Amino acid sequence: YALAEQVNLNKTVTIVGAGDGTVIRFAGDAIGTPIFRVMAPNVCIRNVKLQNKQGTNSQQTSLVRAGTTDNASGLVLDNVTFDSAFQGVAVYAAKDTASNAETSRGITIINSRFTNLNGKAIYLEKGSDVTIRNNTFESCGAADYASSSGIDINLKHGDYSDYQISGNRFVGDPSFPGGAILLKARDDGDYSSPAATVTGIEITGNTFEGFGANKLVLGEPDKGNKGPADSEITHDLAAADITDNRA
């Protein structure tokens, strides 16, 4: 399926393909434009392959994107292949504590494959009751900046809870500047009011190839943010697998 423009999912909808044989892409050059913009709750995308061009950090090409004013609650991505973009999935937060958690509750990303995403495979600025399980991340996060990653949980402006990141496989390279999983609750600079908090994070049963001490990276480099607290994180990684940038 070759699209002329992005698809705005502004009502509850389920999109089901037949697996990697169902390829959805743009007909022409659409760097910086998502294939699907998720605007309404309870969107489900299943059994498809999404493709674009990689782009750069400034272009922020995402295959699936929810913007600051969009409602991504109940989003389900199941058995989706995300191939060739800067980001696979991106969910952005507004500067509004009252709405961010409620417009991103119950995000589920399972049984999917993320390949050749040079920025971040999954990028979340908001989200509660989030499940990221049984996915494969390969050649994701090669771009030359500190937040390149497989998963970047970069929470902003809200109170969030309950993350389960389990049973995933991460394949990278020690030269990648970011890490496999980045985890941040931002309370620094422009993100200090309102600051983000997060509770109940579980990171277990994942496998890693090639990330060294950057399997789990806590805090934003050189920003001095404090969260998330150790007491809110359950994981099965060794100390040598973790880089801690928190203040």
Side-chain angles (χ1 to χ4, degrees), residues 66-246:
T68 59
T69 62
D70 296 330
N71 190 334
S73 289
L75 173 64
V76 175
L77 302 170
D78 180 8
N79 193 31
V80 178
T81 295
F82 298 84
D83 181 39
S84 298
F86 186 77
Q87 297 176 147
V89 183
V91 178
Y92 290 92
K95 292 185 177 181
D96 184 349
T97 295
S99 68
N100 279 324
E102 295 308 313
T103 58
S104 56
R105 190 173 300 280
I107 295 174
T108 301
I109 304 171
I110 55 175
N111 307 320
S112 294
R113 294 156 301 284
F114 297 83
T115 62
N116 303 312
L117 304 164
N118 61 348
K120 310 164 188 187
I122 297 174
Y123 178 63
L124 302 181
E125 291 188 351
K126 61 181 180 178
S128 286
D129 301 317
V130 173
T131 299
I132 302 173
R133 186 179 69 243
N134 195 34
N135 304 289
T136 298
F137 301 85
E138 190 165 5
S139 298
C140 297
D144 187 18
Y145 81 115
S147 293
S148 299
S149 55
I151 300 172
D152 186 1
I153 308 299
N154 189 26
L155 298 173
K156 301 175 180 179
H157 305 302
D159 298 317
Y160 306 102
S161 63
D162 300 316
Y163 277 73
Q164 184 185 67
I165 302 174
S166 63
N168 302 288
R169 178 172 176 253
F170 298 86
V171 181
D173 187 279
S175 66
F176 289 4
I181 302 171
L182 312 186
L183 186 56
K184 299 159 278 187
R186 302 296 294 275
D187 56 9
D188 55 287
D190 292 341
Y191 310 119
S192 62
S193 180
T197 66
V198 61
T199 60
I201 304 161
E202 180 179 338
I203 302 173
T204 56
N206 302 286
T207 61
F208 303 87
E209 300 173 33
F211 286 95
N214 292 335
K215 295 177 177 68
L216 174 61
V217 179
L218 302 173
E220 184 78 359
D222 303 318
K223 298 298 183 181
N225 64 291
K226 301 178 182 65
D230 285 341
S231 60
E232 299 300 339
I233 307 170
T234 300
H235 66 80
D236 55 6
L237 295 170
D241 296 329
I242 301 172
T243 297
D244 194 345
N245 298 309
R246 296 171 298 179

Side-chain angles (χ1 to χ4, degrees), residues 3-73:
L3 304 177
E5 58 186 6
Q6 75 179 34
V7 179
N8 293 326
L9 304 178
N10 55 12
K11 61 180 66 178
T12 297
V13 65
T14 297
I15 298 169
V16 181
D20 277 358
T22 304
V23 179
I24 302 174
R25 58 179 179 80
F26 287 107
D29 188 351
I31 290 179
T33 303
I35 289 178
F36 291 120
R37 178 180 172 188
V38 177
M39 305 171 69
N42 301 317
V43 166
C44 176
I45 302 172
R46 181 175 284 124
N47 302 341
V48 298
K49 183 174 185 176
L50 307 179
Q51 285 184 319
N52 200 345
K53 295 183 179 180
Q54 289 187 331
T56 65
N57 187 27
S58 62
Q59 294 164 323
Q60 293 286 302
T61 303
S62 306
L63 296 171
V64 175
R65 175 189 173 104
T68 59
T69 62
D70 296 330
N71 190 334
S73 289

